[in-house]
Amino acid sequence: IPDSGHKYYLQFTIEDYRSGENAGSCLATVLYPKTKSAPVVNIKCLHTKDQKQIQDEDNRLYQHIRHQTKPIIGNNIPDSYGNIEPALEPVWALAVAGSSYIMWEKSTENLGYSMAQVKSVKQWIRKDDFIEFDYTVLLHEVPTQEIISCHMRLTWLPGHPMKVKYFCASETQEIEDGSGMEPGSAAGILYGRGANF
Amino acid sequence: QLDFWLSPRGIGYPVDVRVPFPSLQSVKVHLEANGISYSIMIEDVQTLVDEERTDMLHARRRALFSASTFDYAAYHTLAEIYDFMDVLVAENPNLVSKLEIGRSTENRPLYVLKFSRGGTNRPAIWIDTGIHSREWVTQASGVWFARKIVLDHENDEGLSSILDEMDIFLEIVTNPDGFAYTQSQNRMWRKTRSKRSGSLCVGVDPNRNWDAGFGGSGSSSSSCSDTYRGPYANSEPEVKAIVDFVNNHGNIKAFISIHSYSQLLLYPYGYTKTPTPDDAELHELSGRAVAALSSLYGTKFQYGSIYKTIYPASGSTVDWTYDQGIKYSFTFELRDTGRYGFLLPAKQIIPTAEETWLALKVIMEHARDHPY
């Protein structure tokens, strides 16, 4: 749109991330302003699941996590072979939800994301009813193909919007030893390691 | 009862001795009473012996397996895949041979399987998998394709008629250094493992290193980037080996490079928006290949030129092969579309390979039926 930006018209179906079943469809417009400020989004969806169904599933997920006797911890979900331990699947599902918020904020007209892996997760037990998790998630960025590591703090109680706090750093390439580079030097500072300066 | 592994030589020289368990206490007492210092090198020799026996058993088991007992529904190590290739050749010497087309940066052999019924320098089809090491479903599919060709080459009409006239070359682990690295250090590694003085980071994106629009937008000039093009085209031995092979062969008619993920079938160009002169034919052929793929499990693929369908990419494999005159140049992006991404569960290996094979057959049959 001359002097304004680029506007996209989208029609798409949605599916339940955990089961794969169809969950409805949406119509949306996304306007990316020329000024590169945040896009303007209009979206309307038809959900095949009713509110009660969604609430019930949320509660089941919540109860499952609350009934664990020890704080949940995990690494590499899925593992290298694509396996997700059944006990950790709810925690992965929460990570997907939390990461989608990060990806929503980070994506641009030219940069998109998928959640590649939960590198680590640790549950923080709270005195109130909220459940809280500390995650390191890896995001796959296109078209750059980079793997971005994000630290994510997620807090949730069914019926409340999920709270997500995050910080992402490009995992690009730890400076590796013995590849003909000067040790220490600007490299460490550039990639945020050993910041004792 | 004492078993000297390093015998007494003289004063001031150490002695190594294996002490049977019943004698342990008395030996200790004797040494200490005489002020002889000692240290324990191996706590329990039996444990070591047992471990070694297990290792050797595994090695023998590996060497004894046949292509029919290999687990195609699992991800394998580089060693296991290389063993598989040898087994396949040994079991099918009249159809399959193994060529070494070069060596990787870390000196791993680059192997290509040749499926041929004879003839000299017949028109050929090339398929490669695993050029990006983290895309594990591709190497696993390559293994499955190799077995499929061997199983079907006589009784499947389409495949048999292809092999009557053409050879098939299959490079299963196109980036072995990267693959080894994904198993030992970083499951998300994509590039090669080349190191250069002056470069801050390791590795080059082998799908940006080809001499087609090299250096254009759609690749990075930073060594730390996952789309780093390299210092110059063909700088990577993994790429150069294929370039040399293609040039020396001179009669390759279809070239298919396999990646994951995104579920796409792509053809040139990636380095320019301009369509190739063969755009219409490639588009139609892609449509049929994708339809065949979908027919098995309903997996949906999109198709089109690299530039328009995925994103601009310069220095990519099939842009170069196309510009060399290999009209039927295609890139696949296999399952899935992001839910598991690179970490595709092993139980999806065989369905992925099966559906992809149907698309490959459409392309190969078309190449057979449209000689040029």
Side-chain angles (χ1 to χ4, degrees), chain B residues 61-347:
Chain B
R61 210 177 281 147
R62 232 173 47 210
L64 284 179
F65 79 66
S66 79
S68 56
T69 58
F70 191 85
D71 188 357
Y72 297 94
Y75 291 112
H76 290 275
T77 64
L78 187 62
E80 286 165 354
I81 295 176
Y82 278 16
D83 281 351
F84 163 81
M85 289 183 203
D86 289 338
V87 163
L88 204 70
V89 169
E91 290 178 355
N92 304 277
N94 294 327
L95 181 67
V96 195
S97 55
K98 184 178 86 171
L99 315 169
E100 184 175 321
I101 63 168
R103 295 241 150 183
S104 68
T105 289
E106 291 173 348
N107 206 34
R108 291 185 174 85
L110 303 168
Y111 290 132
V112 171
L113 292 179
K114 175 182 182 185
F115 300 85
S116 176
R117 287 214 178 125
T120 315
N121 200 236
R122 285 183 170 181
I125 295 151
W126 166 284
I127 302 169
D128 65 74
T129 52
I131 192 169
H132 284 147
S133 36
R134 61 189 180 198
E135 299 165 6
W136 279 18
V137 73
T138 70
Q139 297 95 334
S141 293
V143 166
W144 189 93
F145 298 150
R147 174 107 220 274
K148 183 67 168 166
I149 295 171
V150 151
L151 278 179
D152 277 11
H153 78 105
E154 276 166 352
N155 52 50
D156 180 278
E157 247 191 86
L159 183 60
S160 188
S161 74
I162 290 165
L163 285 168
D164 268 340
E165 300 169 41
M166 305 176 83
D167 294 339
I168 301 175
F169 292 99
L170 175 62
E171 185 175 11
I172 298 175
V173 189
T174 306
N175 177 7
D177 293 351
F179 190 57
Y181 199 72
T182 59
Q183 311 225 311
S184 62
Q185 300 280 12
N186 181 351
R187 176 60 179 83
M188 297 294 174
W189 190 260
R190 164 186 168 92
K191 302 187 288 182
T192 62
R193 293 292 302 165
S194 55
K195 297 176 170 140
R196 286 182 179 84
S197 62
S199 281
L200 209 56
C201 295
V202 176
V204 166
D205 184 344
N207 199 25
R208 300 289 186 279
N209 188 240
W210 301 72
D211 197 3
F214 180 84
S217 68
S219 66
S220 170
S221 57
S222 160
S223 70
C224 295
S225 164
D226 258 328
T227 53
Y228 176 47
R229 61 179 74 118
Y232 50 88
N234 304 329
S235 63
E236 302 312 283
E238 296 82 355
V239 169
K240 181 80 167 47
I242 302 174
V243 167
D244 289 346
F245 179 85
V246 168
N247 286 333
N248 292 334
H249 187 280
N251 207 18
I252 295 179
K253 297 299 174 188
F255 191 105
I256 301 153
S257 190
I258 302 187
H259 293 251
S260 76
Y261 57 92
S262 283
Q263 292 174 205
L264 304 170
L265 175 49
L266 307 166
Y267 49 80
Y269 287 121
Y271 74 85
T272 169
K273 176 189 298 182
T274 311
T276 69
D278 298 300
D279 188 88
E281 183 184 0
L282 296 179
H283 196 79
E284 193 273 339
L285 177 53
S286 299
R288 283 190 289 119
V290 155
L293 187 155
S294 286
S295 71
L296 199 54
Y297 297 110
T299 307
K300 292 197 177 72
F301 265 58
Q302 293 178 292
Y303 59 98
S305 74
I306 297 167
Y307 192 101
K308 287 204 255 191
T309 312
I310 190 169
Y311 43 68
S314 59
S316 73
T317 310
V318 298
D319 281 1
W320 180 81
T321 59
Y322 181 84
D323 281 346
Q324 297 309 108
I326 302 175
K327 182 163 48 151
Y328 303 118
S329 289
F330 290 94
T331 296
F332 276 81
E333 292 277 358
L334 304 186
R335 294 192 193 182
D336 58 14
T337 54
R339 181 219 216 84
Y340 289 101
F342 302 121
L343 308 181
L344 196 71
K347 65 178 188 274

Side-chain angles (χ1 to χ4, degrees), chain B residues 3-59:
Chain B
D3 173 15
F4 286 86
W5 286 10
L6 192 62
S7 305
R9 294 194 267 164
I11 300 187
Y13 290 96
V15 151
D16 294 348
V17 54
R18 181 182 62 81
V19 182
F21 186 76
S23 313
L24 250 185
Q25 278 314 308
S26 46
V27 168
K28 270 188 173 172
V29 164
H30 180 83
L31 292 174
E32 281 158 22
N34 288 278
I36 300 172
S37 65
Y38 65 90
S39 64
I40 299 168
M41 297 166 74
I42 302 171
E43 287 265 350
D44 184 347
V45 172
Q46 188 61 49
T47 315
L48 270 190
V49 169
D50 290 342
E51 274 175 27
E52 187 184 77
R53 187 176 297 143
T54 322
D55 284 344
M56 284 167 61
L57 208 58
H58 282 157

